[in-house]
Amino acid sequence: MSEQVWSIEPSGPLRGDVEVRGSKNAVSKHMVAAMLGSGPSTLHNTPEVGEVGITAAMLRALGINVEVNGREIELERGGEIRPHVPEAFTGLNRIPILLLAPLLHLAGEAFVPLVGGDPIGRRPVNFHVEALRAMGAEVEVGENGITAKAKRLHGARIELPYPSVGATETILLSGVLAEGKTVIKGAATEPEVVELALFLQRMGARIELSPDRRIVIEGVDKLRGASMWLAGDRIEAFSYLVAGLITGGEVRVHGCPQDRLVTAITTLARMGAQFEITDDWLTASAPDGLRAAAVQTDTHPGFMTDWQTPLMVLFTQAEGMSVLHETVFENRLVYVPALQRMGCEIEVFDVCLGGPACRYHDTNAKHSAVVRGVSKLRGADVTLPDIRAGFSAVLAAAVADGGSTLRGVNHIERGYHRVFEQFTSLGLKIRRGT
């Protein structure tokens, strides 16, 4: 299979309208949850991203009927559940680990291959495994994957050492059909997690979102199918706002509620961005230029780790020295060398800069960056290591001096809805090739 590449010529300010659909991170989790319903489920406003195709193929291999029609996905359990996720899905995305709980509910056993996704740091499966063991499952982690067995899961009190999104989702999917009550302490509260809880509630689950990161789940005997409209992707919305700002233009983003972007909006406003916000869209411009900032990523409701990749490129076009402190994933800055090749003046450090000491403070993880602006960027030939890095390289190419060739663009298309078409509509000169 030949490698897909994009050729990009900088073409001045990007302007126009972009509509964002449901998030990559939400749609795949909702597809998994739909397995638990005794009838058909429909997901609306779904994005056309590679992640949907990978997850649909995985579910079909297990005996779930999946129909993808543009903005809608219909799912229904078939007559027979095959509890073995084929090893062909090893390393493609993060979904296999989330299939353990549903397969235990439906078949009493499960095998899933080892997880993949972007190389942004260890996303440990031990939180998932320990939670399932606490709920009565026998779980073995082998070289090729994870095997689990359980007649019926039972409720448990589970305290997460870190508010992990994936582990919180695994416990939600386990607790809804478990016997008795499950309490998660230290749960993740990201909008996508709450959205999944709301979908499960529509299916008949009993879930309470309590203060202090506590979620209480009372197990029920069965769930039904349900229908859900997915709210707009906050990563995409932020990324396109930055695309307008970095090129001196203005992008109007439709479909993402303001409450999903509160921290991001204020961060950009501190840098000099001016916002116009309505119930239907929001837009940002910086007629007087941008100034440097110090930003620390955090779990929700803090500044999202996925927002820092476009922000890093924006820092290179802001006047002064900016600092970024990544506290969620220790290897999130893996994309910096690609940006350095394009002239971004970024130095990475293994100490905590721009915020209090985080859980990586005494490790060798390079998780802080100092960025100098305004940098003169240049076109380059770069290979993209992951989804978010891919988008940030497009942003750098849009303001560079000269053309750029981006390789590994399949990463961007795995996570961003019709991203090539969106950039074209904003006025970027971009060509596909092999």
Side-chain angles (χ1 to χ4, degrees), residues 273-289:
Q274 298 175 12
F275 279 86
E276 206 179 325
I277 302 171
T278 75
D279 292 340
D280 301 315
W281 50 262
L282 69 164
T283 185
S285 59
D288 305 322

Side-chain angles (χ1 to χ4, degrees), residues 43-387:
L43 303 175
H44 301 273
N45 198 35
T46 58
E48 293 171 39
V49 291
E51 188 81 352
V52 167
I54 295 170
T55 307
M58 215 177 292
L59 295 184
R60 288 183 189 119
L62 301 174
I64 311 294
N65 299 316
V66 185
E67 289 291 327
V68 181
N69 308 307
R71 279 179 177 266
E72 277 189 3
I73 302 175
E74 292 177 14
L75 305 102
E76 188 171 14
R77 260 198 335 251
E80 183 203 355
I81 293 295
R82 297 181 284 277
H84 191 287
V85 177
E87 285 183 35
F89 292 103
T90 300
L92 291 184
N93 68 3
R94 302 282 311 155
I95 293 307
I97 189 80
L98 288 177
L99 289 167
L100 283 171
L103 290 174
L104 288 174
H105 289 314
L106 300 176
E109 59 172 316
F111 168 82
V112 304
L114 294 175
V115 294
D118 293 329
I120 56 178
R122 287 174 309 124
R123 304 207 190 183
V125 296
N126 55 332
F127 292 177
H128 300 259
V129 169
E130 282 156 23
L132 289 168
R133 283 179 181 152
M135 299 177 81
E138 291 173 37
V139 188
E140 278 181 41
V141 182
E143 269 178 38
N144 299 329
I146 301 169
T147 309
K149 279 186 185 150
K151 281 201 173 66
R152 181 164 184 197
L153 296 174
H154 56 71
R157 292 179 68 81
I158 297 166
E159 185 156 2
L160 289 174
Y162 183 79
S164 153
V165 168
T168 302
E169 290 165 338
T170 276
I171 303 166
L172 275 172
L173 295 166
S174 307
V176 288
L177 288 173
E179 198 170 347
K181 186 183 282 189
T182 299
V183 179
I184 316 175
K185 293 178 77 176
T189 58
E190 270 66 8
E192 295 81 10
V193 173
V194 175
E195 198 170 23
L196 180 65
L198 296 178
F199 181 56
L200 289 165
Q201 190 176 53
R202 288 185 187 193
M203 296 173 75
R206 293 185 188 164
I207 298 170
E208 279 178 47
L209 303 174
S210 302
D212 301 328
R213 293 192 176 274
R214 270 175 76 248
I215 298 177
V216 182
I217 310 155
E218 288 173 47
V220 296
D221 287 333
K222 66 180 225 227
L223 296 174
R224 55 186 177 268
S227 177
M228 187 88 172
W229 173 278
L230 298 179
D233 187 333
R234 61 202 174 111
I235 307 170
E236 264 190 47
F238 180 78
S239 301
Y240 285 115
L241 288 172
V242 170
L245 288 171
I246 199 169
T247 58
E250 186 172 350
V251 175
R252 190 155 56 173
V253 177
H254 303 253
C256 182
Q258 176 189 355
D259 63 1
R260 294 191 155 211
L261 292 163
V262 178
T263 313
I265 291 167
T266 297
T267 301
L268 293 176
R270 282 197 196 110
M271 293 177 68
Q274 298 175 12
F275 279 86
E276 206 179 325
I277 302 171
T278 75
D279 292 340
D280 301 315
W281 50 262
L282 69 164
T283 185
S285 59
D288 305 322
L290 294 160
R291 50 185 176 271
V295 175
Q296 169 171 297
T297 66
D298 212 336
T299 53
H300 190 76
F303 190 90
M304 188 185 191
T305 177
D306 288 289
W307 287 335
Q308 60 99 330
T309 343
L311 183 74
M312 194 82 96
V313 188
L314 190 63
F315 279 165
T316 70
Q317 302 306 298
E319 196 69 51
M321 302 292 268
S322 292
V323 179
L324 184 113
H325 181 206
E326 167 64 47
T327 75
V328 180
F329 290 117
E330 81 269 39
N331 198 24
R332 185 54 119 177
L333 304 183
V334 65
Y335 63 89
V336 167
L339 294 181
Q340 287 168 331
R341 274 201 295 287
M342 300 179 81
C344 295
E345 297 178 66
I346 304 171
E347 287 293 327
V348 294
F349 299 91
D350 60 5
V351 292
C352 300
L353 303 173
C358 74
R359 61 198 181 125
Y360 303 125
H361 75 96
D362 54 359
T363 69
N364 294 320
K366 296 210 181 312
H367 66 292
S368 290
V370 175
V371 186
R372 188 168 116 185
V374 174
S375 298
K376 193 161 174 46
L377 305 190
R378 56 182 178 270
D381 186 325
V382 293
T383 300
L384 314 173
D386 64 54
I387 293 175

Side-chain angles (χ1 to χ4, degrees), residues 408-422:
V409 294
N410 58 301
H411 285 301
I412 317 182
E413 293 177 326
R414 183 164 81 82
Y416 283 87
H417 169 74
R418 299 181 74 96
V419 59
F420 182 90
E421 292 81 356
Q422 302 269 41

